[in-house]
Amino acid sequence: MSLLVSETWPQAPAAMTRKKPSIQSWLPGKKPSGKCQWPSIPGPALWQPFFAGLTPVKGRFIGMYTFKEPGSFLFFMIGQTMLYFHISQPQRNLYQMDFQPVLLDHQDRFNSLLARTPQIASDFSFANIYGWAEEYGLKLAFTRDHAWIRQDRPAQAYWAPVGNWDLDWEQAFKDLPSRARLVRVPEKLALVWKKDLPKLDIRSDRDHWDYLYSVPELIELKGNRFHKKKNLYNQFIKNYDYEYVVLGKKYIEKALTLQTEWCLWKECNDSGALEAENQAIVRVFSQWEKIRGLFGAGLMVGRDMVAYTVAEALPDRTIVIHFEKGCPGYKGVYQAINKLFLENSARDFEVVNREQDLGDPGLKKAKESYNPTGYLKKYTVRL
């Protein structure tokens, strides 16, 4: 038996129109507890297909009750009998992805998943993703236990998933396009995939390896390995009457002024890479007080900021340096901001991650000169 809708039949919410109800009887006087939602827009065509082919019966609509479990019910009176229609909830694909633009509202959920990630590369901090979202066309999708990142520029690729890596990867990959490319895959996850899915094409991506350093070593600058760094640092503190300041609302404008001047010195407009970095820096500074986990410092000489550094604490007690800029006219300024920031604001960390060299020979030489203690290796994977 079924019900034939009348012209005054209320319309179901749009989310319900694709769900097939199962029909059961409910005796008068036995009303369930729950929140009552009253559909109000007539729309018989939406419900007619659900009852096609069964005996037409006229009834009076009572209401719709929604529960966390097992779902929603529609109630009707037919004579002295109350009928309810259970709106069955379809089985949800735990890995189904709905990619959306990166928003500040995502950071709490994202960071909770990041804390469960076995190995965290610098790329996956929320500040980094938010800052570079426009340049790479980054989008976020959340499944039950993971956050997935898709980049659409310069070519579409998927970043390694954020969250617990103990899952059925073959099933998880079914929602990715065939032959999808996954980038920035940390070494620990690459090893898991190599073991569980030996047919995957997994290759090292040296240009994206993160450089890791000892915080105590970069504070102390002891021995011959750091002799040149220590000498440049000493020249700065001897030659300039500087002030160390913690970045906050008061000094963000000063840092932005330095960034603008730095870009003029380096002619950022003639370099796509430097212009993209500049846009990412401005984007992060514009939301400084809203992006959780960010902190940094600057060096003031007189009324001018001559260096700044922007850092973020990762859940594994590593500190990552996102951006660091110094005025070229001040000798030793980079060595000074590096040492003074770790000494004054990051002494409690053991490891500092200074990100990758992107295959740039000059950047590689500079990073190697600080004597890294190791690398966080990353891989590119083709499904």
Side-chain angles (χ1 to χ4, degrees):
M1 181 175 67
S2 182
L3 300 178
L4 181 64
V5 296
S6 67
E7 290 301 316
T8 59
W9 206 271
Q11 179 180 353
M16 297 292 183
T17 60
R18 296 185 298 275
K19 300 174 183 176
K20 183 178 179 181
S22 58
I23 305 174
Q24 302 179 43
S25 295
W26 188 272
L27 298 176
K30 294 186 177 180
K31 293 184 179 181
S33 59
K35 182 179 179 182
C36 186
Q37 300 174 341
W38 299 97
S40 58
I41 304 173
L46 291 176
W47 287 97
Q48 182 93 28
F50 287 149
F51 313 113
L54 297 176
T55 305
V57 178
K58 288 187 177 181
R60 182 167 59 89
F61 179 76
I62 303 299
M64 183 176 79
Y65 290 78
T66 301
F67 309 85
K68 278 189 174 181
E69 293 290 344
S72 298
F73 295 80
L74 296 178
F75 291 88
F76 305 91
M77 288 299 298
I78 301 177
Q80 297 297 312
T81 302
M82 179 181 287
L83 296 184
Y84 74 87
F85 294 74
H86 179 207
I87 310 301
S88 303
Q89 301 292 337
Q91 181 68 31
R92 183 181 177 187
N93 185 346
L94 300 181
Y95 308 106
Q96 188 173 0
M97 302 176 199
D98 178 21
F99 286 94
Q100 302 292 334
V102 179
L103 303 174
L104 289 173
D105 290 345
H106 292 143
Q107 63 181 318
D108 287 341
R109 186 176 181 184
F110 181 88
N111 287 336
S112 69
L113 292 169
L114 188 66
R116 304 177 206 169
T117 306
Q119 188 178 34
I120 303 173
S122 63
D123 316 71
F124 296 89
S125 76
F126 186 82
N128 185 71
I129 292 168
Y130 182 81
W132 290 95
E134 293 185 357
E135 171 65 16
Y136 288 105
L138 299 181
K139 302 287 193 303
L140 268 177
F142 291 96
T143 59
R144 186 182 69 176
D145 298 314
H146 295 86
W148 289 80
I149 303 161
R150 188 186 74 198
Q151 71 174 56
D152 293 333
R153 292 189 291 271
Q156 189 175 93
Y158 296 83
W159 293 18
V162 174
N164 189 341
W165 292 340
D166 184 15
L167 74 157
D168 183 347
W169 288 110
E170 187 172 359
Q171 178 65 35
F173 287 153
K174 286 183 178 179
D175 280 311
L176 295 180
S178 61
R179 299 295 297 163
R181 186 168 62 101
L182 291 102
V183 298
R184 305 169 194 261
V185 178
E187 183 176 25
K188 285 186 179 180
L189 181 56
L191 292 175
V192 170
W193 288 351
K194 187 175 182 179
K195 177 183 177 183
D196 294 349
L197 302 168
K199 292 184 179 180
L200 291 181
D201 182 4
I202 302 176
R203 303 186 183 188
S204 175
D205 187 359
R206 176 62 180 84
D207 293 350
H208 282 275
W209 287 12
D210 285 345
Y211 287 75
L212 307 178
Y213 306 85
S214 163
V215 171
E217 283 188 1
L218 295 191
I219 291 175
E220 296 169 0
L221 298 179
K222 287 183 178 180
N224 291 332
R225 293 185 305 147
F226 294 103
H227 176 73
K228 290 183 179 180
K229 304 297 182 187
K230 187 69 171 288
N231 185 43
L232 288 167
Y233 165 75
N234 287 334
Q235 288 185 56
F236 179 86
I237 62 173
K238 178 182 177 181
N239 294 331
Y240 305 106
D241 183 16
Y242 72 92
E243 179 187 5
Y244 178 88
V245 298
V246 175
L247 282 186
K249 187 175 182 180
K250 179 180 178 181
Y251 291 105
I252 292 300
E253 287 300 321
K254 294 285 188 182
L256 282 169
T257 298
L258 172 58
Q259 177 61 30
T260 300
E261 294 173 348
W262 187 91
C263 258
L264 290 174
W265 296 323
K266 295 292 185 178
E267 299 181 333
C268 288
N269 289 336
D270 296 331
S271 168
L274 291 181
E275 179 59 27
E277 182 194 47
N278 182 57
Q279 293 300 319
I281 291 171
V282 171
R283 183 171 166 87
V284 168
F285 274 142
S286 69
Q287 301 294 340
W288 181 264
E289 296 184 329
K290 294 182 180 180
I291 300 176
R292 288 183 260 286
L294 278 181
F295 64 115
L299 297 179
M300 301 289 296
V301 174
R303 301 178 65 180
D304 298 324
M305 182 171 286
V306 299
Y308 74 77
T309 190
V310 173
E312 185 176 5
L314 298 180
D316 62 359
R317 298 302 299 159
T318 296
I319 181 174
V320 57
I321 306 295
H322 290 303
F323 310 112
E324 192 172 82
K325 295 290 182 281
C327 178
Y330 292 79
K331 192 172 184 178
V333 71
Y334 278 102
Q335 290 72 25
I337 188 62
N338 188 329
K339 173 178 165 59
L340 291 170
F341 171 68
L342 295 178
E343 189 173 70
N344 290 279
S345 300
R347 184 179 287 275
D348 292 339
F349 295 89
E350 288 293 326
V351 176
V352 55
N353 182 326
R354 295 187 64 84
E355 301 189 337
Q356 56 270 75
D357 61 43
L358 300 175
D360 182 275
L363 198 54
K364 181 178 181 180
K365 182 178 179 180
K367 290 181 182 293
E368 293 285 0
S369 72
Y370 273 95
N371 302 299
T373 56
Y375 305 90
L376 196 160
K377 299 177 183 179
K378 284 174 267 185
Y379 295 76
T380 295
V381 177
R382 180 74 72 172
L383 298 185

